[in-house]
């Protein structure tokens, strides 16, 4: 059976038209950039808007919670930045394995495999989400052990329970995004996210201000905002929106799970090590003098940074899809050209935002708080925020290249070295021993991120992309199921 699968896969790959790299080289540079930019924005545009909307749900919730009280704001910021970022990193990282598999399979024209990969990812991520439930149940004692103030830790325990259904929504949200954007059909997610964001603003205003439900009202509205788009995505996929890639539920999703688990674990490690880096920054801040103001100021800066990061994450998605598609199709030179176009576009936007945020400084803080003390602290951190934004315009895009190429394991080791052996130790020395407080910790974080960015630039520059094409096609062959076999035992939806 394995020999039969392999020969079928090889025949399928041989039957594809030859790579178009030579034809592309005959075109003018301007035309190539224009055509590649068009392909990039088909993925990046909807991805950016969707991530803005999704991230906006959490920021709007934080804004409404901030008007309830400073302790509630600090508790929400701590839970979201520490626990939710932890869980989000695990699920997003593990789901990025789906981005690699779907992107390369779609490029290799094995469209029927995308639905199988999607279902396999659901199984793996559902188990993972279930295992993380105790973290949310025991939030208060966990934060006490980490040295957080009693009032904040107690309120955080209440807030964390509301995040359990939100955490389960991420497993579907992330996988649907990666499944749909790999085939450039993620516009539907944009519409659903915009609808959800608008409803969330209304329901948050209604429950917090009109019905005086406080934190409870804000969290109920957030749960609805996270699940409404998922129901719409299920309807789109199951009701014929992806006829080539969704053939119905199949028992074949339970086969080859170990291979998916291994790639998911390396993907999860890559993303988690990056997201937890910021989490450690917040935890270290929580042990400083005047912790409530410092945490509030830092969480506001990280939220502003997060808004900008949504642009870069959109380009991350575009880089991952374009590189995976081209590698799966056997186009090494096209993959390299895609990387140059995506990085240059994202960096240009980052430079503009760098200048803008240097000019606005602390004035943006009043969108999140009424405290002048917190706003002054934000203004003091603004130069560091601007430099972080500049780095974020390049670093996530290179991570997207790694996802599209299947390098997650390599980047995980890079993250350990740059973040945990360079960034955090420097931050502790600057923050605690030299006395720069939160600014010192953040400077250490920036230096770690800059080191990681330089390493990723070097790895990308030195990569043999012809070899990456061979590796991508070997991966496609390894998990290939003939269309007839993948349909066997399937239940239509």
């Amino acid at each position: 059976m394995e020999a039969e699968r392999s020969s079928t896969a090889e025949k399928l790959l041989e039957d594809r038209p030859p790579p178009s790299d030579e034809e592309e080289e005959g075109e003018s540079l301007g035309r190539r950039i224009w055509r590649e930019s068009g392909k990039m924005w088909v993925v990046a545009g909807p991805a950016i808007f969707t991530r803005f909307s999704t991230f906006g749900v959490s920021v709007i919730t934080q804004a409404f919670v901030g008007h309830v009280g400073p302790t509630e704001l600090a508790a929400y910021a701590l839970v979201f930045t520490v626990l939710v970022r932890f869980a989000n990193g695990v699920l997003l990282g593990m789901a990025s394995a789906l981005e690699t598999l779907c992107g390369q399979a779609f490029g290799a024209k094995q469209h029927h495999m995308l639905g199988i990969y999607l279902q396999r990812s659901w199984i793996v991520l559902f188990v993972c989400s279930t295992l993380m439930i105790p973290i949310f149940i025991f939030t208060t004692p966990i934060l006490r052990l980490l040295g957080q103030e009693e009032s904040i830790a107690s309120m955080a325990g209440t807030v964390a329970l509301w995040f359990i259904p939100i955490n389960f929504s991420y497993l579907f949200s992330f996988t649907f995004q990666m499944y749909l954007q790999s085939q450039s059909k993620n516009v539907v997610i944009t519409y659903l996210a915009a609808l959800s964001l608008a409803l969330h603003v209304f329901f948050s205003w209604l429950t917090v201000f009109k019905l005086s439900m406080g934190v409870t009202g804000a969290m109920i509205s957030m749960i609805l905002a996270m699940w409404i788009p998922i129901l719409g995505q299920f309807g789109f996929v199951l009701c014929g929106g992806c006829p080539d890639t969704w053939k119905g539920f199949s028992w074949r999703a339970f086969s080859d799970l170990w291979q998916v688990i291994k790639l998911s674990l390396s993907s999860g490690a890559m993303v988690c090590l990056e997201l937890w880096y910021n989490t450690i920054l917040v935890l270290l801040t929580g042990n400083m003098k005047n912790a409530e103001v410092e945490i509030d100021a830092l969480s506001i800066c990280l939220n502003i940074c997060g808004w900008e990061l949504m642009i870069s994450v959109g380009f991350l998605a575009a880089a991952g899809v374009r590189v995976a598609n081209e590698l799966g199709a056997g186009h090494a030179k096209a993959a390299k050209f895609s990387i140059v176009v995506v990085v240059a576009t994202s960096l240009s936007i980052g430079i503009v935002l760098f200048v803008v945020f240097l000019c606005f400084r602390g004035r943006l803080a009043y969108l999140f708080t009424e405290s002048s003390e917190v706003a002054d602290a934000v203004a003091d951190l603004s130069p560091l925020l601007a430099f972080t934004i500049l780095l974020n315009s390049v670093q996530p895009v290179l991570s997207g290249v790694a996802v599209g190429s299947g390098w997650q394991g390599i980047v995980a080791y890079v993250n350990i070295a740059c973040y945990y052996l360079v960034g955090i130790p420097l931050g502790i020395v600057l923050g605690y021993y030299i006395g720069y407080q939160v600014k010192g910790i953040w400077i250490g974080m920036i230096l770690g991120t800059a080191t990681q960015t330089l390493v990723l630039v070097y790895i990308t520059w030195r990569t043999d992309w012809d070899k990456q094409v061979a590796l991508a096609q070997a991966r496609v062959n390894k998990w290939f199921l003939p269309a007839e076999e993948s349909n066997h035992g399937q239940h239509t939806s």
Side-chain angles (χ1 to χ4, degrees), residues 247-379:
K247 304 297 182 182
F249 292 101
S250 172
W251 291 110
R252 299 299 303 177
F254 290 91
S255 65
D256 291 326
L257 277 179
W258 178 239
Q259 299 297 329
V260 177
I261 290 170
K262 286 195 295 184
L263 184 58
S264 296
L265 288 175
S266 62
S267 301
M270 182 192 96
V271 176
C272 289
L273 289 168
E274 190 167 320
L275 292 179
W276 296 346
Y277 188 42
N278 288 340
T279 298
I280 292 172
L281 173 67
V282 175
L283 288 174
L284 290 173
T285 305
N287 292 314
M288 289 184 170
K289 298 176 182 178
N290 202 12
E292 189 171 290
V293 171
E294 295 286 5
I295 290 177
D296 286 352
L298 183 60
S299 66
I300 288 171
C301 286
L302 290 178
N303 270 301
I304 294 171
C305 188
W307 279 104
E308 184 276 335
L309 188 60
M310 293 304 102
I311 299 175
S312 298
V313 170
F315 286 114
L316 182 156
V321 170
R322 292 295 304 129
V323 170
N325 285 172
E326 296 296 352
L327 291 179
H331 302 156
K333 293 179 181 178
K336 288 193 292 185
F337 191 71
S338 298
I339 295 169
V340 173
V341 171
V342 177
V343 171
T345 305
S346 182
L347 179 60
S348 299
I349 295 174
I351 291 172
V352 172
L353 292 176
F354 170 79
V355 175
V356 169
F357 281 102
L358 273 181
C359 296
F360 275 98
R361 296 180 69 83
R363 279 172 283 180
L364 292 173
Y366 288 104
L367 295 173
F368 304 92
T369 183
E370 297 174 355
S371 169
S372 59
E373 189 178 6
V374 173
D376 290 341
V378 171

Side-chain angles (χ1 to χ4, degrees), residues 5-293:
R5 281 192 200 180
S6 180
S7 64
T8 306
E10 288 173 10
K11 184 177 185 307
L12 185 148
L13 291 171
E14 288 170 2
D15 288 343
R16 294 202 316 273
S20 58
D21 285 335
E22 291 77 13
E23 297 175 11
E24 290 180 0
E25 286 185 341
E27 296 179 338
S28 66
L29 178 61
R31 184 173 179 80
R32 289 179 66 199
I33 293 174
W34 178 261
R35 184 162 50 79
E36 180 57 40
S37 295
K39 293 178 181 179
M40 175 193 70
W41 280 108
V42 165
V43 177
I48 291 170
F49 185 83
T50 299
R51 293 174 194 278
F52 261 121
S53 300
T54 303
F55 185 72
V57 168
S58 65
V59 174
I60 287 168
T61 303
Q62 178 165 335
F64 277 97
V65 169
H67 287 284
V68 175
T71 301
E72 287 82 358
L73 175 61
Y76 176 91
L78 199 58
V79 171
F80 188 81
T81 309
V82 178
L83 298 185
V84 177
R85 189 179 291 273
F86 168 84
N88 197 302
V90 171
L91 295 176
L92 177 60
M94 296 185 75
S96 73
L98 182 66
E99 192 167 10
T100 303
L101 296 172
C102 285
Q104 294 184 358
F106 191 80
K109 302 191 185 303
Q110 294 185 13
H111 297 162
H112 63 283
M113 288 301 300
L114 272 69
I116 300 294
Y117 289 145
L118 176 63
Q119 294 170 66
R120 288 174 181 170
S121 192
W122 283 343
I123 295 168
V124 173
L125 267 66
F126 180 81
V127 173
C128 184
S129 296
T130 303
L131 292 175
M132 286 191 289
I133 290 177
I135 297 173
F136 294 91
I137 294 176
F138 299 107
T139 294
T140 297
I142 289 173
L143 292 179
R144 284 175 184 154
L145 288 174
L146 294 173
Q148 301 302 311
E149 292 183 9
E150 176 60 32
S151 60
I152 297 176
S154 179
M155 176 58 66
T158 302
V159 173
L161 294 176
W162 289 103
F163 273 105
I164 293 176
I166 293 172
N167 192 50
F168 275 94
S169 75
Y170 288 136
L171 81 92
F172 295 108
S173 176
F174 294 150
T175 51
F176 270 129
Q177 285 178 26
M178 292 171 186
Y179 166 76
L180 291 170
Q181 72 190 16
S182 67
Q183 43 193 314
S184 300
K185 288 190 175 183
N186 52 337
V187 175
V188 64
I189 300 180
T190 302
Y191 295 139
L192 291 169
L195 172 64
S196 174
L197 185 64
L199 291 174
H200 182 50
V201 172
F202 171 73
F203 283 122
S204 295
W205 169 80
L206 179 66
T207 56
V208 174
F209 290 136
K210 292 301 179 181
L211 300 180
S212 301
M213 295 175 66
V215 173
T216 299
M219 296 309 299
I220 289 174
S221 178
M222 186 176 185
I223 291 171
L224 290 174
M226 297 304 296
W227 277 97
I228 287 173
I230 293 170
L231 297 177
Q233 291 158 27
F234 264 112
F236 176 78
V237 173
L238 270 59
C239 295
C242 302
D244 294 330
T245 60
W246 179 263
K247 304 297 182 182
F249 292 101
S250 172
W251 291 110
R252 299 299 303 177
F254 290 91
S255 65
D256 291 326
L257 277 179
W258 178 239
Q259 299 297 329
V260 177
I261 290 170
K262 286 195 295 184
L263 184 58
S264 296
L265 288 175
S266 62
S267 301
M270 182 192 96
V271 176
C272 289
L273 289 168
E274 190 167 320
L275 292 179
W276 296 346
Y277 188 42
N278 288 340
T279 298
I280 292 172
L281 173 67
V282 175
L283 288 174
L284 290 173
T285 305
N287 292 314
M288 289 184 170
K289 298 176 182 178
N290 202 12
E292 189 171 290
V293 171

Side-chain angles (χ1 to χ4, degrees), residues 356-433:
V356 169
F357 281 102
L358 273 181
C359 296
F360 275 98
R361 296 180 69 83
R363 279 172 283 180
L364 292 173
Y366 288 104
L367 295 173
F368 304 92
T369 183
E370 297 174 355
S371 169
S372 59
E373 189 178 6
V374 173
D376 290 341
V378 171
D380 194 41
L381 293 173
S382 290
L384 298 179
L385 172 64
F387 279 104
T388 302
I389 285 171
L390 187 62
L391 279 175
N392 282 347
S393 67
V394 176
Q395 182 271 332
V397 181
L398 296 177
S399 294
V401 174
V403 169
S405 306
W407 301 340
Q408 289 94 326
I410 296 172
V411 178
Y413 288 113
V414 172
N415 288 350
I416 290 174
C418 297
Y419 291 156
Y420 298 90
L421 299 182
V422 176
I424 291 175
L426 283 176
I428 291 174
V429 170
L430 292 171
Y432 284 94
Y433 294 99

